[in-house]
Amino acid sequence: MANWSIGELARKTGVHIETIRYFEKVGLLETSGRTEGGHRVFGDRHLRSLKFIKRARELGFSPQEVRALLDMGGPEDACCDEVRDIAVHHLEDVRRKIKDLKRLEELLASTVDRCSGSHVSDCAVIDMLEEPVR
Amino acid sequence: MANWSIGELARKTGVHIETIRYFEKVGLLETSGRTEGGHRVFGDRHLRSLKFIKRARELGFSPQEVRALLDMGGPEDACCDEVRDIAVHHLEDVRRKIKDLKRLEELLASTVDRCSGSHVSDCAVIDMLEEPVR
DNA sequence: CCTTGATCCTGTAGTAGCTACAGGTGGCAA
DNA sequence: TTGCCACCTGTAGCTACTACAGGATCAAGG
């Protein structure tokens, strides 16, 4: 009935206990209730938020972006322009990274192709690394 | 005539002074000579190594990979299978990253498309973030 | 009721890969 | 020789966690 210890929450979400406490400390996860003895007690809200945070982090949203998403209501609230903006911004970021990595892939692939792999005095890989940037 | 202070080396390579000292400390860059007063004096080898390290890091080689490349002779020595192996491994890594990012790009792009950007009760972006992972 | 062992608590320190100080010297030109 | 910049070491900061140490709490079995 939605009354979990930190360990149970960790098992449910796959997020380390220490990380849950960390999220709480830095304000990503709202503070939980406590037992008489001081143990944390979590409910549905926390489970939902934590899953949300985890998923967003896995999808590459930065902690700042996650915080922004949560601050504007998180999974509890309706969609708004800002949510979309963050996603769009993140998408642009992802596309930039893909572009960079593709350039790098080409460079690496062609270099490796040119490299014989034997002990010769000029090595394509080393050459590539010695070239000035761009 | 190849006798540079740390500041000159920093300007030549675009690597921060602190970072040069850090590279030296962790063994990426070999230790330099010193003046009477204890100031570092760098030569051509250092300049070359440092440029190599910088370039390799920019191309996404991990510090461990850079160290391995340097350990097997760095820019001074001939090419060998191991150099190629490291490059190939790195290439595979880059390709994996590209693949992951492309999947993410699709997900984000289609989600953003479906998101109206207005205050409605179900938001595609939020929905995406609430979905269980795979 | 009491013990036992798993779980939890706080606080601190560690991780990578740097970056940024603080407080103190060296180098060099006027 | 004075002035000032560059340099030195050592330590602390950064992000986003992770991992302890030393102690308290919880729940189940006897």
Side-chain angles (χ1 to χ4, degrees):
Chain A
M1 42 144 68
N3 255 359
W4 303 297
S5 71
I6 196 167
E8 287 165 331
L9 197 66
R11 275 188 294 278
K12 270 177 198 299
T13 57
V15 176
H16 287 151
I17 287 178
E18 291 91 348
T19 308
I20 296 174
R21 284 197 281 251
Y22 170 75
F23 283 163
E24 188 188 287
K25 200 175 80 181
V26 298
L28 273 182
L29 190 65
E30 62 185 304
T31 53
S32 64
R34 297 281 180 137
T35 64
E36 284 283 297
H39 286 201
R40 287 174 182 81
V41 181
F42 297 94
D44 275 326
R45 287 174 64 82
H46 300 101
L47 178 61
R48 204 156 172 226
S49 283
L50 190 51
K51 280 184 176 168
F52 182 87
I53 294 167
K54 193 194 177 207
R55 171 96 165 130
R57 294 291 291 121
E58 281 168 353
L59 291 176
F61 286 87
S62 72
Q64 286 76 6
E65 287 171 332
V66 176
R67 194 185 309 271
L69 286 168
L70 287 166
D71 282 355
M72 63 188 64
E76 313 284 274
D77 216 326
C79 180
C80 55
D81 290 338
E82 291 134 294
V83 169
R84 195 172 187 278
D85 284 351
I86 291 173
V88 167
H89 180 266
H90 184 44
L91 176 58
E92 282 163 6
D93 209 51
V94 167
R95 285 183 170 149
R96 252 193 310 277
K97 276 183 191 150
I98 289 174
K99 219 174 120 198
D100 287 351
L101 283 175
K102 274 186 171 168
R103 276 229 318 276
L104 177 54
E105 190 209 348
E106 272 173 43
L107 177 60
L108 276 174
S110 72
T111 301
V112 166
D113 265 5
R114 287 208 322 281
C115 176
S116 64
S118 59
H119 277 264
V120 287
S121 58
D122 74 322
C123 166
V125 175
I126 297 293
D127 283 355
M128 168 194 76
L129 290 168
E130 292 229 87
E131 269 163 35
V133 181
R134 229 154 323 281
Chain B
M1 41 145 66
N3 255 1
W4 302 298
S5 72
I6 196 168
E8 287 165 331
L9 197 66
R11 274 188 295 279
K12 270 177 199 300
T13 57
V15 176
H16 286 151
I17 287 177
E18 291 91 348
T19 308
I20 296 174
R21 285 198 280 249
Y22 170 75
F23 283 163
E24 188 188 286
K25 199 177 80 180
V26 300
L28 271 183
L29 190 65
E30 60 185 306
T31 53
S32 63
R34 299 279 180 139
T35 64
E36 283 284 297
H39 286 201
R40 287 174 182 80
V41 181
F42 298 92
D44 274 327
R45 287 175 64 83
H46 300 101
L47 176 62
R48 204 156 171 227
S49 284
L50 189 51
K51 279 184 177 169
F52 182 87
I53 294 166
K54 192 192 177 208
R55 172 93 165 132
R57 295 291 293 121
E58 279 168 354
L59 291 176
F61 286 87
S62 72
Q64 287 76 7
E65 287 171 331
V66 177
R67 194 184 309 271
L69 287 168
L70 288 166
D71 281 354
M72 63 187 65
E76 311 285 275
D77 216 328
C79 181
C80 55
D81 290 338
E82 290 135 293
V83 168
R84 196 173 187 276
D85 284 351
I86 290 174
V88 167
H89 180 267
H90 184 43
L91 177 57
E92 281 163 8
D93 209 51
V94 167
R95 285 183 170 149
R96 252 193 309 278
K97 276 183 192 150
I98 289 173
K99 219 174 119 197
D100 286 352
L101 283 176
K102 273 187 172 169
R103 276 228 317 276
L104 177 55
E105 189 209 350
E106 273 173 41
L107 177 60
L108 276 174
S110 72
T111 301
V112 165
D113 265 5
R114 287 207 322 281
C115 176
S116 65
S118 61
H119 278 264
V120 289
S121 57
D122 73 323
C123 166
V125 176
I126 297 293
D127 283 355
M128 169 194 75
L129 291 169
E130 291 230 87
E131 269 163 34
V133 181
R134 229 147 325 281

Short mmCIF file of all heavy atoms in Angstrom, two decimals, chain B residues 15-19 21-22 25, chain C residues 18-22, chain D residues 8-14:
data_model
loop_
_atom_site.label_atom_id
_atom_site.label_comp_id
_atom_site.label_asym_id
_atom_site.label_seq_id
_atom_site.Cartn_x
_atom_site.Cartn_y
_atom_site.Cartn_z
N VAL B 15 46.64 23.96 -24.07
CA VAL B 15 46.34 23.15 -22.87
C VAL B 15 46.63 24.00 -21.64
O VAL B 15 47.69 24.65 -21.58
CB VAL B 15 47.21 21.87 -22.84
CG1 VAL B 15 46.98 21.08 -21.57
CG2 VAL B 15 46.93 21.01 -24.07
N HIS B 16 45.72 24.03 -20.71
CA HIS B 16 45.91 24.83 -19.50
C HIS B 16 47.15 24.41 -18.74
O HIS B 16 47.50 23.22 -18.69
CB HIS B 16 44.71 24.68 -18.57
CG HIS B 16 43.50 25.40 -19.05
ND1 HIS B 16 42.23 24.97 -18.76
CD2 HIS B 16 43.35 26.50 -19.80
CE1 HIS B 16 41.36 25.78 -19.33
NE2 HIS B 16 42.02 26.71 -19.96
N ILE B 17 47.78 25.39 -18.12
CA ILE B 17 48.96 25.13 -17.30
C ILE B 17 48.69 24.05 -16.26
O ILE B 17 49.47 23.11 -16.10
CB ILE B 17 49.41 26.44 -16.60
CG1 ILE B 17 50.04 27.39 -17.62
CG2 ILE B 17 50.37 26.15 -15.47
CD1 ILE B 17 50.46 28.72 -17.05
N GLU B 18 47.58 24.17 -15.58
CA GLU B 18 47.24 23.21 -14.53
C GLU B 18 47.08 21.81 -15.10
O GLU B 18 47.41 20.82 -14.46
CB GLU B 18 45.94 23.60 -13.82
CG GLU B 18 46.03 24.84 -12.97
CD GLU B 18 45.68 26.09 -13.75
OE1 GLU B 18 45.60 26.03 -14.99
OE2 GLU B 18 45.51 27.14 -13.12
N THR B 19 46.57 21.76 -16.31
CA THR B 19 46.35 20.47 -16.95
C THR B 19 47.67 19.83 -17.34
O THR B 19 47.85 18.62 -17.22
CB THR B 19 45.44 20.65 -18.18
OG1 THR B 19 44.28 21.35 -17.77
CG2 THR B 19 45.04 19.31 -18.77
N ARG B 21 50.49 20.28 -15.77
CA ARG B 21 51.05 19.75 -14.51
C ARG B 21 50.32 18.47 -14.11
O ARG B 21 50.93 17.52 -13.62
CB ARG B 21 50.94 20.79 -13.40
CG ARG B 21 51.96 21.90 -13.56
CD ARG B 21 52.16 22.70 -12.28
NE ARG B 21 51.11 23.68 -12.07
CZ ARG B 21 51.28 25.00 -12.15
NH1 ARG B 21 52.46 25.49 -12.42
NH2 ARG B 21 50.29 25.83 -11.93
N TYR B 22 49.01 18.46 -14.34
CA TYR B 22 48.22 17.27 -14.03
C TYR B 22 48.66 16.07 -14.88
O TYR B 22 48.86 14.97 -14.36
CB TYR B 22 46.73 17.56 -14.26
CG TYR B 22 45.86 16.34 -14.20
CD1 TYR B 22 45.55 15.74 -12.98
CD2 TYR B 22 45.36 15.76 -15.36
CE1 TYR B 22 44.76 14.61 -12.92
CE2 TYR B 22 44.57 14.63 -15.32
CZ TYR B 22 44.27 14.06 -14.10
OH TYR B 22 43.49 12.93 -14.05
N LYS B 25 51.77 14.77 -13.53
CA LYS B 25 51.57 14.09 -12.25
C LYS B 25 51.05 12.67 -12.44
O LYS B 25 51.48 11.74 -11.77
CB LYS B 25 50.59 14.89 -11.38
CG LYS B 25 50.67 14.54 -9.90
CD LYS B 25 49.75 15.42 -9.06
CE LYS B 25 48.32 14.96 -9.09
NZ LYS B 25 47.42 15.80 -8.29
P DC C 18 41.45 15.45 -18.92
OP1 DC C 18 40.90 16.50 -19.81
OP2 DC C 18 42.09 14.25 -19.49
"O5'" DC C 18 42.47 16.11 -17.90
"C5'" DC C 18 42.50 17.50 -17.62
"C4'" DC C 18 41.28 17.97 -16.87
"O4'" DC C 18 41.19 17.33 -15.59
"C3'" DC C 18 41.29 19.47 -16.57
"O3'" DC C 18 40.38 20.14 -17.44
"C2'" DC C 18 40.86 19.60 -15.13
"C1'" DC C 18 40.50 18.19 -14.71
N1 DC C 18 40.89 17.92 -13.31
C2 DC C 18 40.15 18.48 -12.25
O2 DC C 18 39.18 19.21 -12.52
N3 DC C 18 40.51 18.23 -10.98
C4 DC C 18 41.55 17.45 -10.73
N4 DC C 18 41.88 17.22 -9.46
C5 DC C 18 42.34 16.86 -11.78
C6 DC C 18 41.97 17.12 -13.05
P DT C 19 40.66 21.68 -17.81
OP1 DT C 19 39.66 22.08 -18.82
OP2 DT C 19 42.10 21.83 -18.07
"O5'" DT C 19 40.33 22.43 -16.45
"C5'" DT C 19 38.97 22.66 -16.09
"C4'" DT C 19 38.93 23.42 -14.79
"O4'" DT C 19 39.49 22.62 -13.72
"C3'" DT C 19 39.71 24.74 -14.78
"O3'" DT C 19 38.78 25.76 -14.43
"C2'" DT C 19 40.81 24.53 -13.74
"C1'" DT C 19 40.19 23.48 -12.84
N1 DT C 19 41.12 22.60 -12.08
C2 DT C 19 40.99 22.54 -10.72
O2 DT C 19 40.17 23.20 -10.10
N3 DT C 19 41.87 21.68 -10.10
C4 DT C 19 42.82 20.89 -10.70
O4 DT C 19 43.53 20.16 -10.02
C5 DT C 19 42.91 21.00 -12.13
C7 DT C 19 43.90 20.19 -12.88
C6 DT C 19 42.06 21.84 -12.74
P DA C 20 39.25 27.28 -14.40
OP1 DA C 20 38.09 28.09 -14.84
OP2 DA C 20 40.55 27.40 -15.08
"O5'" DA C 20 39.46 27.52 -12.85
"C5'" DA C 20 38.46 27.11 -11.93
"C4'" DA C 20 38.92 27.48 -10.53
"O4'" DA C 20 39.79 26.43 -10.02
"C3'" DA C 20 39.74 28.76 -10.48
"O3'" DA C 20 39.34 29.50 -9.34
"C2'" DA C 20 41.17 28.27 -10.33
"C1'" DA C 20 40.96 27.03 -9.49
N9 DA C 20 42.03 26.03 -9.58
C8 DA C 20 42.70 25.61 -10.68
N7 DA C 20 43.60 24.70 -10.45
C5 DA C 20 43.53 24.50 -9.08
C6 DA C 20 44.23 23.66 -8.20
N6 DA C 20 45.18 22.81 -8.59
N1 DA C 20 43.91 23.70 -6.90
C2 DA C 20 42.95 24.56 -6.50
N3 DA C 20 42.22 25.39 -7.24
C4 DA C 20 42.56 25.31 -8.54
P DC C 21 39.53 31.04 -9.33
OP1 DC C 21 38.47 31.63 -8.49
OP2 DC C 21 39.72 31.50 -10.71
"O5'" DC C 21 40.95 31.17 -8.59
"C5'" DC C 21 41.05 31.80 -7.36
"C4'" DC C 21 41.23 30.77 -6.24
"O4'" DC C 21 41.72 29.54 -6.77
"C3'" DC C 21 42.24 31.24 -5.20
"O3'" DC C 21 41.52 31.68 -4.06
"C2'" DC C 21 43.09 30.02 -4.89
"C1'" DC C 21 42.61 28.93 -5.83
N1 DC C 21 43.71 28.26 -6.59
C2 DC C 21 44.53 27.33 -5.94
O2 DC C 21 44.33 27.11 -4.73
N3 DC C 21 45.52 26.71 -6.63
C4 DC C 21 45.68 26.99 -7.93
N4 DC C 21 46.64 26.34 -8.57
C5 DC C 21 44.87 27.94 -8.61
C6 DC C 21 43.91 28.54 -7.92
P DA C 22 42.00 32.91 -3.26
OP1 DA C 22 40.83 33.41 -2.52
OP2 DA C 22 42.72 33.80 -4.21
"O5'" DA C 22 43.05 32.30 -2.24
"C5'" DA C 22 42.77 31.06 -1.56
"C4'" DA C 22 44.01 30.68 -0.77
"O4'" DA C 22 44.87 29.84 -1.58
"C3'" DA C 22 44.85 31.87 -0.33
"O3'" DA C 22 45.33 31.63 0.99
"C2'" DA C 22 45.98 31.92 -1.34
"C1'" DA C 22 46.16 30.44 -1.70
N9 DA C 22 46.62 30.18 -3.06
C8 DA C 22 46.23 30.81 -4.22
N7 DA C 22 46.79 30.33 -5.30
C5 DA C 22 47.61 29.32 -4.83
C6 DA C 22 48.47 28.42 -5.48
N6 DA C 22 48.65 28.40 -6.80
N1 DA C 22 49.14 27.53 -4.72
C2 DA C 22 48.95 27.54 -3.38
N3 DA C 22 48.16 28.32 -2.66
C4 DA C 22 47.51 29.21 -3.45
P DC D 8 56.23 25.69 -12.95
OP1 DC D 8 57.20 24.67 -13.38
OP2 DC D 8 54.81 25.58 -13.35
"O5'" DC D 8 56.29 25.82 -11.37
"C5'" DC D 8 57.53 25.63 -10.71
"C4'" DC D 8 57.32 25.66 -9.20
"O4'" DC D 8 56.69 26.91 -8.84
"C3'" DC D 8 56.35 24.60 -8.69
"O3'" DC D 8 57.05 23.39 -8.44
"C2'" DC D 8 55.85 25.23 -7.39
"C1'" DC D 8 55.91 26.72 -7.67
N1 DC D 8 54.60 27.40 -7.90
C2 DC D 8 53.87 27.87 -6.80
O2 DC D 8 54.33 27.66 -5.65
N3 DC D 8 52.70 28.51 -7.00
C4 DC D 8 52.26 28.71 -8.24
N4 DC D 8 51.10 29.37 -8.40
C5 DC D 8 52.97 28.23 -9.38
C6 DC D 8 54.12 27.59 -9.16
P DT D 9 56.20 22.05 -8.39
OP1 DT D 9 57.16 20.93 -8.38
OP2 DT D 9 55.11 22.10 -9.39
"O5'" DT D 9 55.54 22.15 -6.95
"C5'" DT D 9 56.37 22.17 -5.77
"C4'" DT D 9 55.49 22.35 -4.54
"O4'" DT D 9 54.69 23.54 -4.72
"C3'" DT D 9 54.52 21.19 -4.31
"O3'" DT D 9 54.71 20.65 -3.02
"C2'" DT D 9 53.13 21.80 -4.50
"C1'" DT D 9 53.36 23.28 -4.33
N1 DT D 9 52.49 24.11 -5.21
C2 DT D 9 51.60 25.00 -4.63
O2 DT D 9 51.47 25.14 -3.44
N3 DT D 9 50.84 25.72 -5.54
C4 DT D 9 50.89 25.65 -6.92
O4 DT D 9 50.17 26.34 -7.60
C5 DT D 9 51.85 24.69 -7.44
C7 DT D 9 51.98 24.51 -8.92
C6 DT D 9 52.58 23.98 -6.59
P DG D 10 54.04 19.28 -2.61
OP1 DG D 10 54.90 18.63 -1.60
OP2 DG D 10 53.66 18.55 -3.84
"O5'" DG D 10 52.70 19.77 -1.89
"C5'" DG D 10 52.73 20.94 -1.06
"C4'" DG D 10 51.31 21.35 -0.72
"O4'" DG D 10 50.80 22.22 -1.75
"C3'" DG D 10 50.33 20.18 -0.61
"O3'" DG D 10 49.58 20.30 0.57
"C2'" DG D 10 49.46 20.31 -1.85
"C1'" DG D 10 49.50 21.81 -2.11
N9 DG D 10 49.28 22.17 -3.51
C8 DG D 10 49.83 21.57 -4.62
N7 DG D 10 49.44 22.11 -5.74
C5 DG D 10 48.58 23.11 -5.35
C6 DG D 10 47.82 24.04 -6.13
O6 DG D 10 47.80 24.15 -7.36
N1 DG D 10 47.07 24.89 -5.34
C2 DG D 10 47.02 24.86 -3.97
N2 DG D 10 46.23 25.75 -3.37
N3 DG D 10 47.71 24.01 -3.22
C4 DG D 10 48.46 23.16 -3.98
P DT D 11 48.62 19.14 1.06
OP1 DT D 11 48.85 18.93 2.50
OP2 DT D 11 48.72 18.01 0.11
"O5'" DT D 11 47.21 19.85 0.88
"C5'" DT D 11 47.04 21.19 1.36
"C4'" DT D 11 45.80 21.79 0.72
"O4'" DT D 11 46.05 22.04 -0.69
"C3'" DT D 11 44.55 20.89 0.78
"O3'" DT D 11 43.50 21.64 1.37
"C2'" DT D 11 44.28 20.53 -0.67
"C1'" DT D 11 44.86 21.74 -1.39
N1 DT D 11 45.19 21.52 -2.83
C2 DT D 11 44.65 22.36 -3.77
O2 DT D 11 43.90 23.29 -3.48
N3 DT D 11 45.01 22.09 -5.06
C4 DT D 11 45.84 21.08 -5.50
O4 DT D 11 46.08 20.95 -6.69
C5 DT D 11 46.37 20.23 -4.47
C7 DT D 11 47.29 19.09 -4.84
C6 DT D 11 46.03 20.48 -3.19
P DA D 12 42.18 20.86 1.84
OP1 DA D 12 41.92 21.26 3.24
OP2 DA D 12 42.27 19.43 1.48
"O5'" DA D 12 41.09 21.55 0.92
"C5'" DA D 12 41.08 22.97 0.76
"C4'" DA D 12 40.24 23.33 -0.45
"O4'" DA D 12 40.95 23.01 -1.66
"C3'" DA D 12 38.91 22.57 -0.52
"O3'" DA D 12 37.91 23.47 -0.95
"C2'" DA D 12 39.19 21.50 -1.56
"C1'" DA D 12 40.09 22.28 -2.51
N9 DA D 12 40.88 21.45 -3.40
C8 DA D 12 41.62 20.34 -3.09
N7 DA D 12 42.23 19.81 -4.12
C5 DA D 12 41.87 20.62 -5.18
C6 DA D 12 42.18 20.58 -6.55
N6 DA D 12 42.97 19.67 -7.09
N1 DA D 12 41.65 21.55 -7.33
C2 DA D 12 40.86 22.47 -6.78
N3 DA D 12 40.50 22.60 -5.51
C4 DA D 12 41.04 21.63 -4.75
P DG D 13 36.40 23.13 -0.77
OP1 DG D 13 35.75 24.19 0.05
OP2 DG D 13 36.27 21.70 -0.38
"O5'" DG D 13 35.85 23.28 -2.25
"C5'" DG D 13 35.97 24.54 -2.94
"C4'" DG D 13 35.83 24.27 -4.41
"O4'" DG D 13 36.95 23.47 -4.82
"C3'" DG D 13 34.59 23.45 -4.76
"O3'" DG D 13 33.60 24.30 -5.32
"C2'" DG D 13 35.07 22.44 -5.79
"C1'" DG D 13 36.54 22.69 -5.93
N9 DG D 13 37.37 21.48 -5.94
C8 DG D 13 37.78 20.73 -4.86
N7 DG D 13 38.52 19.72 -5.21
C5 DG D 13 38.61 19.80 -6.58
C6 DG D 13 39.28 18.97 -7.52
O6 DG D 13 39.95 17.97 -7.30
N1 DG D 13 39.10 19.42 -8.82
C2 DG D 13 38.36 20.51 -9.18
N2 DG D 13 38.27 20.79 -10.48
N3 DG D 13 37.73 21.30 -8.33
C4 DG D 13 37.90 20.89 -7.05
P DC D 14 32.13 23.76 -5.47
OP1 DC D 14 31.27 24.94 -5.62
OP2 DC D 14 31.86 22.74 -4.42
"O5'" DC D 14 32.20 22.99 -6.87
"C5'" DC D 14 32.47 23.71 -8.07
"C4'" DC D 14 32.60 22.74 -9.21
"O4'" DC D 14 33.82 22.00 -9.05
"C3'" DC D 14 31.51 21.67 -9.22
"O3'" DC D 14 30.45 22.13 -10.04
"C2'" DC D 14 32.20 20.46 -9.84
"C1'" DC D 14 33.68 20.77 -9.73
N1 DC D 14 34.49 19.76 -8.99
C2 DC D 14 35.27 18.85 -9.71
O2 DC D 14 35.25 18.91 -10.95
N3 DC D 14 36.01 17.93 -9.04
C4 DC D 14 35.99 17.90 -7.71
N4 DC D 14 36.73 16.99 -7.11
C5 DC D 14 35.20 18.82 -6.96
C6 DC D 14 34.47 19.72 -7.63
#
